[in-house]
Amino acid sequence: MLVLITSSDLLADECEILLKSKIQNELAFTYEEFDQTENNGFRPLEKMFCFKEAAELLELYIIANQSNKSSLRWHLAQMKAFNGEYEAAIVYANSVIDLEENLDDFPLMWNDFVNANIAFLMRDKEALIKYRDKISAGKNFKPNEINLLYVEKLLVGFDSTYRQAIYD
């Protein structure tokens, strides 16, 4: 009997092996080590397009550390979206909306950025354009400029998946 092993099978195996290693070694990391360090936490899994495993690692980290850090939930929303789990991504994205956002104190248009992502996931191009335009008005602030580039990718790739819009 001939068994064909595809490259996607090999990648899935690599993703699972890396996830197991990270579960064993990184759940005790500090938030900064896990989420804010380039080659730690979910980031290597994301770089390998192991979005399901990256999401699983983030969920386990949040539970293990009883973390309420919004950046962890935002990254979880992104990993769910990259994996095509739009409903779950929307739930996590909605959980990071800043109800006390004050652009006078800090001009990062976070809520508009999150809402633009949600609009893409909900297939609402009109809303996506509205939020893109709002972010564009604040592009003189570098983080808004960076987020605007991300949202522009969503708009250009509107007829594709979230993963394709961002990575292709």
Side-chain angles (χ1 to χ4, degrees):
M1 178 167 143
L2 178 64
V3 177
L4 294 176
I5 298 175
T6 66
S7 61
S8 62
D9 291 332
L10 292 174
L11 178 60
D13 288 346
E14 289 178 42
C15 292
E16 195 60 36
I17 290 167
L18 182 55
L19 172 62
K20 285 178 182 174
S21 170
K22 290 189 160 296
I23 289 170
Q24 203 169 36
N25 297 310
E26 296 186 16
L27 292 184
F29 278 11
T30 65
Y31 162 74
E32 288 76 16
E33 290 170 327
F34 182 84
D35 189 70
Q36 303 294 303
T37 305
E38 189 59 32
N39 291 312
N40 286 348
F42 70 97
R43 294 178 194 285
L45 288 162
E46 178 187 7
K47 285 179 184 172
M48 291 175 57
F49 293 81
C50 302
F51 303 120
K52 179 177 82 62
E53 292 81 4
E56 185 177 339
L57 182 63
L58 282 158
E59 287 171 325
L60 290 170
Y61 184 86
I62 289 168
I63 292 166
N65 293 279
Q66 300 176 352
S67 179
N68 62 359
K69 297 281 190 185
S70 64
S71 69
L72 291 169
R73 292 190 317 276
W74 171 246
H75 292 137
L76 181 51
Q78 288 180 305
M79 296 308 109
K80 293 285 188 181
F82 289 139
N83 199 46
E85 300 173 60
Y86 289 5
E87 287 182 28
I90 291 167
V91 169
Y92 283 111
N94 274 315
S95 79
V96 301
I97 295 289
D98 182 355
L99 300 177
E100 298 176 12
E101 182 177 67
N102 183 341
L103 298 176
D104 291 332
D105 288 346
F106 187 64
L108 174 63
M109 302 174 94
W110 176 251
N111 289 347
D112 293 317
F113 176 66
V114 172
N115 283 319
N117 281 266
I118 292 170
F120 178 92
L121 297 172
M122 294 180 72
R123 313 314 296 154
D124 186 342
K125 192 171 192 175
E126 186 177 312
L128 177 57
I129 291 169
K130 177 183 87 169
Y131 290 116
R132 186 269 323 260
D133 291 348
K134 289 176 82 173
I135 296 167
S136 182
K139 68 181 175 187
N140 58 334
F141 183 60
K142 186 70 172 176
N144 289 333
E145 181 182 337
I146 293 166
N147 286 347
L148 179 61
L149 294 172
Y150 196 94
V151 171
E152 288 286 353
K153 287 182 177 184
L154 295 176
L155 195 54
V156 168
F158 188 77
D159 293 324
S160 61
T161 67
Y162 189 84
R163 187 203 64 76
Q164 290 167 326
I166 297 302
Y167 283 109
D168 290 353

Coordinates of all heavy atoms in Angstrom, one line a residue, residues 1-72:
M1 N 0.8 -1.2 0.0 CA 0.0 0.0 0.0 C 0.9 1.2 0.0 O 1.8 1.4 0.8 CB -0.9 0.0 1.2 CG -1.8 1.2 1.4 SD -3.0 0.8 2.6 CE -3.1 2.4 3.4
L2 N 0.6 2.1 -0.9 CA 1.4 3.4 -1.1 C 0.7 4.5 -0.3 O -0.5 4.7 -0.5 CB 1.5 3.7 -2.5 CG 2.2 5.0 -2.9 CD1 3.7 4.9 -2.4 CD2 2.2 5.3 -4.4
V3 N 1.4 5.2 0.6 CA 0.9 6.3 1.3 C 1.6 7.5 0.9 O 2.8 7.6 0.9 CB 1.1 6.1 2.9 CG1 0.6 7.3 3.6 CG2 0.4 4.8 3.3
L4 N 0.8 8.5 0.4 CA 1.4 9.7 0.0 C 1.4 10.7 1.1 O 0.4 10.9 1.8 CB 0.6 10.3 -1.2 CG 0.7 9.5 -2.5 CD1 -0.2 10.2 -3.5 CD2 2.1 9.5 -3.0
I5 N 2.5 11.3 1.3 CA 2.6 12.4 2.4 C 2.8 13.7 1.6 O 3.8 13.9 0.9 CB 3.8 12.1 3.3 CG1 3.6 10.8 4.1 CG2 4.0 13.2 4.3 CD1 4.7 10.4 4.9
T6 N 1.9 14.6 1.9 CA 1.9 15.9 1.2 C 2.7 16.9 2.0 O 2.9 16.7 3.2 CB 0.5 16.4 0.9 OG1 -0.1 16.7 2.2 CG2 -0.3 15.4 0.1
S7 N 3.1 18.0 1.4 CA 3.7 19.1 2.1 C 2.8 19.6 3.2 O 3.3 20.1 4.3 CB 4.2 20.2 1.2 OG 3.1 20.8 0.5
S8 N 1.5 19.7 3.0 CA 0.6 20.2 4.0 C 0.6 19.2 5.2 O 0.5 19.7 6.4 CB -0.8 20.4 3.5 OG -1.3 19.2 3.0
D9 N 0.8 17.9 5.0 CA 0.9 16.9 6.1 C 2.1 17.2 6.9 O 2.1 17.2 8.1 CB 0.9 15.5 5.6 CG -0.4 15.0 5.0 OD1 -1.5 15.6 5.4 OD2 -0.4 14.2 4.1
L10 N 3.2 17.4 6.2 CA 4.5 17.7 6.9 C 4.4 19.0 7.7 O 4.9 19.1 8.8 CB 5.6 17.8 5.9 CG 6.0 16.5 5.2 CD1 7.1 16.7 4.2 CD2 6.5 15.4 6.2
L11 N 3.8 20.0 7.1 CA 3.6 21.3 7.8 C 2.8 21.1 9.1 O 3.1 21.6 10.1 CB 3.0 22.4 6.9 CG 2.8 23.7 7.6 CD1 4.1 24.3 8.1 CD2 2.1 24.7 6.6
A12 N 1.7 20.4 8.9 CA 0.8 20.1 10.1 C 1.5 19.4 11.2 O 1.4 19.8 12.4 CB -0.4 19.3 9.7
D13 N 2.4 18.5 10.8 CA 3.2 17.8 11.8 C 4.2 18.7 12.5 O 4.3 18.7 13.7 CB 4.0 16.6 11.2 CG 3.1 15.4 10.8 OD1 1.9 15.4 11.3 OD2 3.6 14.6 10.1
E14 N 4.8 19.6 11.7 CA 5.8 20.6 12.2 C 5.0 21.5 13.2 O 5.6 21.9 14.2 CB 6.4 21.3 11.1 CG 7.4 20.5 10.3 CD 8.0 21.3 9.2 OE1 8.4 22.5 9.4 OE2 8.2 20.8 8.1
C15 N 3.9 22.0 12.8 CA 3.1 22.9 13.6 C 2.7 22.2 14.9 O 2.9 22.9 16.0 CB 1.8 23.3 12.9 SG 2.0 24.3 11.4
E16 N 2.3 21.0 14.9 CA 1.9 20.3 16.1 C 3.2 20.1 17.0 O 3.1 20.3 18.3 CB 1.3 19.0 15.8 CG 0.6 18.3 16.9 CD -0.6 19.1 17.5 OE1 -1.3 19.8 16.8 OE2 -0.7 19.1 18.8
I17 N 4.3 19.8 16.5 CA 5.5 19.6 17.2 C 6.0 20.9 17.9 O 6.3 20.9 19.1 CB 6.7 19.0 16.4 CG1 6.4 17.6 16.0 CG2 8.0 19.1 17.0 CD1 7.2 17.0 14.9
L18 N 5.9 22.0 17.1 CA 6.3 23.3 17.7 C 5.3 23.7 18.8 O 5.7 24.2 19.8 CB 6.4 24.3 16.6 CG 6.8 25.7 17.0 CD1 8.2 25.7 17.7 CD2 6.9 26.6 15.8
L19 N 4.0 23.5 18.5 CA 3.0 23.8 19.6 C 3.3 23.1 20.9 O 3.3 23.7 21.9 CB 1.6 23.5 19.1 CG 0.5 23.7 20.1 CD1 0.4 25.1 20.6 CD2 -0.8 23.2 19.5
K20 N 3.5 21.8 20.8 CA 3.8 21.0 22.0 C 5.0 21.5 22.7 O 5.0 21.6 24.0 CB 4.0 19.5 21.6 CG 2.7 18.8 21.3 CD 2.9 17.4 20.9 CE 1.5 16.8 20.5 NZ 1.7 15.4 20.0
S21 N 6.1 21.9 22.0 CA 7.3 22.4 22.6 C 7.0 23.7 23.3 O 7.4 24.0 24.4 CB 8.3 22.6 21.5 OG 9.4 23.4 22.1
K22 N 6.2 24.6 22.7 CA 5.9 25.9 23.3 C 5.0 25.7 24.5 O 5.2 26.5 25.5 CB 5.3 26.8 22.2 CG 6.3 27.2 21.2 CD 5.8 28.3 20.3 CE 7.0 29.0 19.6 NZ 7.8 29.7 20.5
I23 N 4.1 24.8 24.4 CA 3.2 24.5 25.6 C 4.1 24.1 26.8 O 3.9 24.6 27.9 CB 2.1 23.5 25.3 CG1 1.1 24.1 24.3 CG2 1.5 23.0 26.6 CD1 0.1 23.0 23.8
Q24 N 5.0 23.3 26.5 CA 5.9 22.7 27.5 C 6.8 23.8 28.1 O 7.1 23.8 29.3 CB 6.8 21.6 27.0 CG 7.3 20.7 27.9 CD 7.9 19.4 27.2 OE1 8.5 19.5 26.2 NE2 7.7 18.3 27.8
N25 N 7.3 24.7 27.2 CA 8.3 25.7 27.7 C 7.9 27.1 27.9 O 8.6 27.9 28.5 CB 9.4 25.6 26.6 CG 10.1 24.3 26.5 OD1 10.5 23.7 27.5 ND2 10.2 23.8 25.3
E26 N 6.8 27.6 27.3 CA 6.5 29.0 27.3 C 5.3 29.5 28.0 O 5.1 30.7 28.2 CB 6.5 29.5 25.8 CG 7.8 29.3 25.2 CD 7.9 29.9 23.8 OE1 7.0 30.8 23.4 OE2 8.8 29.6 23.0
L27 N 4.5 28.6 28.5 CA 3.3 29.0 29.3 C 3.6 29.8 30.5 O 2.8 30.6 31.0 CB 2.3 27.9 29.5 CG 1.7 27.2 28.3 CD1 0.7 26.1 28.8 CD2 1.0 28.3 27.5
A28 N 4.8 29.5 31.1 CA 5.2 30.2 32.3 C 6.0 31.5 32.0 O 6.4 32.2 32.9 CB 6.1 29.3 33.1
F29 N 6.2 31.9 30.7 CA 6.8 33.1 30.4 C 6.0 34.3 30.9 O 4.8 34.3 31.0 CB 6.9 33.3 28.9 CG 8.1 32.6 28.2 CD1 8.9 31.6 28.9 CD2 8.4 32.8 26.9 CE1 9.9 31.0 28.3 CE2 9.4 32.2 26.2 CZ 10.2 31.3 26.9
T30 N 6.7 35.4 31.1 CA 6.0 36.7 31.4 C 5.3 37.1 30.2 O 5.6 36.7 29.1 CB 7.0 37.8 31.9 OG1 7.9 38.1 30.7 CG2 7.9 37.4 33.1
Y31 N 4.4 38.0 30.4 CA 3.6 38.6 29.2 C 4.6 39.2 28.2 O 4.5 38.9 27.0 CB 2.7 39.7 29.7 CG 2.2 40.6 28.7 CD1 1.2 40.1 27.7 CD2 2.7 41.9 28.5 CE1 0.8 41.0 26.7 CE2 2.2 42.7 27.5 CZ 1.3 42.3 26.6 OH 0.9 43.1 25.6
E32 N 5.6 39.9 28.7 CA 6.6 40.6 27.8 C 7.4 39.5 27.0 O 7.6 39.6 25.8 CB 7.5 41.5 28.5 CG 6.9 42.8 29.0 CD 6.0 42.6 30.3 OE1 6.1 41.5 31.0 OE2 5.2 43.5 30.5
E33 N 7.8 38.4 27.7 CA 8.5 37.4 27.0 C 7.6 36.7 26.0 O 8.1 36.4 24.9 CB 9.0 36.3 28.0 CG 10.1 36.8 28.9 CD 10.4 35.8 30.0 OE1 9.5 35.2 30.5 OE2 11.6 35.8 30.4
F34 N 6.4 36.4 26.3 CA 5.5 35.6 25.5 C 4.9 36.4 24.3 O 4.9 36.0 23.2 CB 4.3 35.1 26.3 CG 3.4 34.2 25.5 CD1 3.7 32.9 25.3 CD2 2.2 34.7 25.0 CE1 2.8 32.0 24.6 CE2 1.4 33.9 24.2 CZ 1.7 32.6 24.0
D35 N 4.5 37.6 24.6 CA 3.7 38.4 23.6 C 4.6 39.5 22.9 O 4.3 39.9 21.8 CB 2.5 39.0 24.2 CG 1.6 39.6 23.1 OD1 1.0 38.8 22.4 OD2 1.5 40.9 23.1
Q36 N 5.5 40.0 23.6 CA 6.3 41.2 23.1 C 7.7 40.9 22.6 O 8.4 41.8 22.3 CB 6.3 42.2 24.2 CG 4.9 42.6 24.7 CD 4.1 43.4 23.7 OE1 4.5 44.4 23.1 NE2 2.9 42.8 23.4
T37 N 8.0 39.6 22.5 CA 9.4 39.2 22.1 C 9.3 38.5 20.8 O 8.5 37.5 20.7 CB 10.1 38.3 23.2 OG1 10.1 39.0 24.4 CG2 11.5 38.0 22.8
E38 N 10.0 38.9 19.8 CA 9.8 38.5 18.4 C 9.8 37.0 18.2 O 8.9 36.5 17.5 CB 11.0 39.1 17.5 CG 10.8 38.9 16.1 CD 9.5 39.5 15.5 OE1 9.0 40.5 16.0 OE2 8.9 38.9 14.5
N39 N 10.7 36.2 18.7 CA 10.7 34.8 18.4 C 10.1 33.9 19.5 O 10.4 32.7 19.5 CB 12.1 34.3 18.1 CG 12.6 34.9 16.8 OD1 11.9 34.9 15.8 ND2 13.8 35.5 16.8
N40 N 9.3 34.5 20.3 CA 8.6 33.7 21.4 C 7.1 33.6 21.2 O 6.6 34.3 20.3 CB 8.9 34.3 22.8 CG 10.3 34.1 23.3 OD1 11.1 33.3 22.7 ND2 10.7 34.9 24.3
G41 N 6.5 32.9 22.0 CA 5.0 32.8 22.0 C 4.5 32.3 20.7 O 5.1 31.4 20.0
F42 N 3.4 32.9 20.3 CA 2.7 32.5 19.0 C 3.4 32.9 17.8 O 3.1 32.4 16.7 CB 1.3 33.1 19.0 CG 1.3 34.6 18.8 CD1 1.1 35.1 17.5 CD2 1.5 35.5 19.8 CE1 1.1 36.5 17.3 CE2 1.6 36.9 19.6 CZ 1.3 37.4 18.3
R43 N 4.3 33.9 17.8 CA 4.9 34.4 16.6 C 5.6 33.4 15.7 O 5.4 33.5 14.5 CB 5.8 35.6 17.0 CG 5.1 36.8 17.6 CD 6.0 37.9 18.0 NE 5.3 38.8 18.9 CZ 4.4 39.7 18.5 NH1 4.1 39.8 17.2 NH2 3.8 40.5 19.3
P44 N 6.4 32.5 16.2 CA 7.0 31.5 15.3 C 5.9 30.6 14.6 O 6.1 30.3 13.4 CB 7.9 30.7 16.2 CG 8.3 31.6 17.3 CD 7.0 32.4 17.5
L45 N 4.9 30.3 15.3 CA 3.8 29.6 14.7 C 3.1 30.4 13.6 O 2.8 29.9 12.5 CB 2.8 29.1 15.8 CG 3.2 28.1 16.8 CD1 2.4 28.0 18.0 CD2 3.2 26.7 16.1
E46 N 2.9 31.6 13.9 CA 2.3 32.5 12.9 C 3.2 32.6 11.6 O 2.7 32.5 10.5 CB 2.0 33.9 13.4 CG 1.5 34.8 12.3 CD 1.4 36.3 12.8 OE1 1.9 36.6 13.9 OE2 0.8 37.1 12.0
K47 N 4.5 32.7 11.8 CA 5.4 32.8 10.7 C 5.4 31.5 9.8 O 5.6 31.6 8.6 CB 6.8 33.1 11.2 CG 7.1 34.5 11.6 CD 8.5 34.7 12.1 CE 8.6 36.1 12.7 NZ 9.9 36.2 13.4
M48 N 5.1 30.4 10.4 CA 5.0 29.1 9.7 C 3.6 28.9 9.2 O 3.3 27.8 8.6 CB 5.4 28.0 10.6 CG 6.8 27.9 11.0 SD 7.2 26.6 12.2 CE 6.6 25.2 11.4
F49 N 2.7 29.9 9.3 CA 1.3 29.8 8.9 C 0.5 28.7 9.7 O -0.4 28.1 9.2 CB 1.1 29.5 7.4 CG 1.6 30.7 6.6 CD1 2.9 31.0 6.3 CD2 0.7 31.6 6.1 CE1 3.4 32.1 5.6 CE2 1.1 32.8 5.4 CZ 2.4 33.0 5.1
C50 N 1.0 28.5 10.9 CA 0.3 27.5 11.8 C -0.7 28.3 12.7 O -0.6 28.4 13.9 CB 1.3 26.8 12.7 SG 2.7 26.0 11.8
F51 N -1.7 28.8 12.0 CA -2.6 29.7 12.7 C -3.5 29.0 13.8 O -3.8 29.6 14.8 CB -3.5 30.5 11.7 CG -2.7 31.2 10.7 CD1 -2.8 30.9 9.3 CD2 -1.8 32.2 11.1 CE1 -2.0 31.6 8.4 CE2 -1.0 32.9 10.2 CZ -1.1 32.6 8.8
K52 N -3.9 27.8 13.5 CA -4.8 27.1 14.4 C -4.0 26.8 15.7 O -4.4 27.0 16.8 CB -5.2 25.8 13.8 CG -6.1 24.9 14.7 CD -6.6 23.6 14.1 CE -5.6 22.5 14.0 NZ -5.1 21.9 15.2
E53 N -2.7 26.4 15.5 CA -1.8 26.1 16.7 C -1.5 27.4 17.4 O -1.4 27.4 18.7 CB -0.6 25.4 16.2 CG -0.9 24.0 15.7 CD -1.4 23.9 14.3 OE1 -1.5 25.0 13.6 OE2 -1.7 22.8 13.8
A54 N -1.3 28.5 16.7 CA -1.0 29.8 17.3 C -2.1 30.2 18.2 O -1.9 30.7 19.3 CB -0.6 30.9 16.3
A55 N -3.3 30.1 17.7 CA -4.5 30.4 18.4 C -4.6 29.5 19.7 O -4.9 30.0 20.8 CB -5.8 30.3 17.6
E56 N -4.4 28.3 19.5 CA -4.5 27.3 20.7 C -3.5 27.7 21.7 O -3.8 27.8 22.9 CB -4.2 25.9 20.2 CG -4.4 24.9 21.3 CD -4.2 23.5 20.8 OE1 -4.3 23.2 19.6 OE2 -3.9 22.6 21.7
L57 N -2.2 28.1 21.3 CA -1.2 28.5 22.3 C -1.6 29.8 23.0 O -1.5 29.9 24.2 CB 0.1 28.7 21.6 CG 1.3 29.1 22.5 CD1 1.6 28.0 23.5 CD2 2.5 29.4 21.6
L58 N -2.2 30.7 22.3 CA -2.6 32.0 22.9 C -3.7 31.7 23.9 O -3.7 32.2 25.0 CB -3.1 33.0 21.9 CG -2.0 33.7 21.1 CD1 -2.5 34.2 19.8 CD2 -1.5 34.9 22.0
E59 N -4.7 30.8 23.5 CA -5.8 30.5 24.5 C -5.2 29.8 25.7 O -5.7 30.2 26.9 CB -6.8 29.6 23.8 CG -7.6 30.3 22.8 CD -8.5 29.3 21.9 OE1 -8.0 28.2 21.6 OE2 -9.6 29.7 21.6
L60 N -4.3 28.9 25.6 CA -3.7 28.2 26.7 C -3.0 29.2 27.6 O -3.0 29.1 28.8 CB -2.8 27.1 26.3 CG -3.6 25.9 25.6 CD1 -2.6 24.9 25.0 CD2 -4.4 25.2 26.7
Y61 N -2.2 30.1 27.0 CA -1.5 31.1 27.8 C -2.4 32.0 28.6 O -2.1 32.2 29.8 CB -0.6 32.0 26.8 CG 0.3 32.9 27.6 CD1 1.5 32.5 28.1 CD2 -0.1 34.2 27.9 CE1 2.3 33.3 28.9 CE2 0.6 35.0 28.7 CZ 1.9 34.6 29.2 OH 2.6 35.5 29.9
I62 N -3.5 32.5 27.9 CA -4.4 33.3 28.6 C -5.0 32.6 29.8 O -5.1 33.2 30.9 CB -5.5 33.8 27.7 CG1 -5.0 34.8 26.6 CG2 -6.7 34.4 28.4 CD1 -5.9 35.1 25.5
I63 N -5.4 31.3 29.7 CA -6.0 30.5 30.7 C -4.9 30.3 31.8 O -5.2 30.5 33.0 CB -6.5 29.2 30.2 CG1 -7.8 29.5 29.3 CG2 -6.9 28.3 31.4 CD1 -8.2 28.3 28.5
A64 N -3.7 29.8 31.4 CA -2.7 29.5 32.4 C -2.3 30.6 33.2 O -1.9 30.5 34.4 CB -1.5 28.8 31.7
N65 N -2.3 31.8 32.7 CA -1.8 33.0 33.4 C -3.0 33.9 33.8 O -2.7 35.0 34.3 CB -0.9 33.8 32.5 CG 0.4 33.0 32.2 OD1 1.3 33.0 33.1 ND2 0.5 32.3 31.1
Q66 N -4.2 33.5 33.6 CA -5.4 34.3 33.9 C -5.2 35.7 33.5 O -5.4 36.7 34.2 CB -5.7 34.2 35.4 CG -5.9 32.8 35.9 CD -6.1 32.7 37.4 OE1 -5.9 33.6 38.1 NE2 -6.5 31.5 37.8
S67 N -4.7 35.8 32.2 CA -4.4 37.2 31.7 C -5.6 37.9 31.1 O -6.5 37.3 30.5 CB -3.3 37.0 30.6 OG -3.0 38.3 30.1
N68 N -5.6 39.2 31.4 CA -6.7 40.0 30.8 C -6.1 41.0 29.8 O -6.7 42.0 29.5 CB -7.5 40.7 31.9 CG -6.6 41.6 32.7 OD1 -5.4 41.7 32.5 ND2 -7.2 42.3 33.7
K69 N -4.8 40.8 29.3 CA -4.2 41.7 28.4 C -4.9 41.7 27.1 O -5.1 40.7 26.4 CB -2.7 41.2 28.2 CG -1.9 41.3 29.4 CD -1.4 42.7 29.7 CE -0.4 42.7 30.8 NZ 0.0 44.1 31.1
S70 N -5.3 42.9 26.6 CA -6.1 43.0 25.4 C -5.2 42.6 24.2 O -5.8 42.1 23.2 CB -6.7 44.4 25.2 OG -5.7 45.3 25.1
S71 N -3.9 42.8 24.2 CA -3.1 42.5 23.1 C -3.1 40.9 22.8 O -3.1 40.5 21.7 CB -1.7 43.0 23.2 OG -1.0 42.3 24.2
L72 N -3.2 40.2 23.9 CA -3.3 38.7 23.7 C -4.6 38.3 23.0 O -4.6 37.5 22.1 CB -3.2 38.0 25.1 CG -1.8 38.1 25.8 CD1 -1.9 37.5 27.2 CD2 -0.8 37.3 25.0

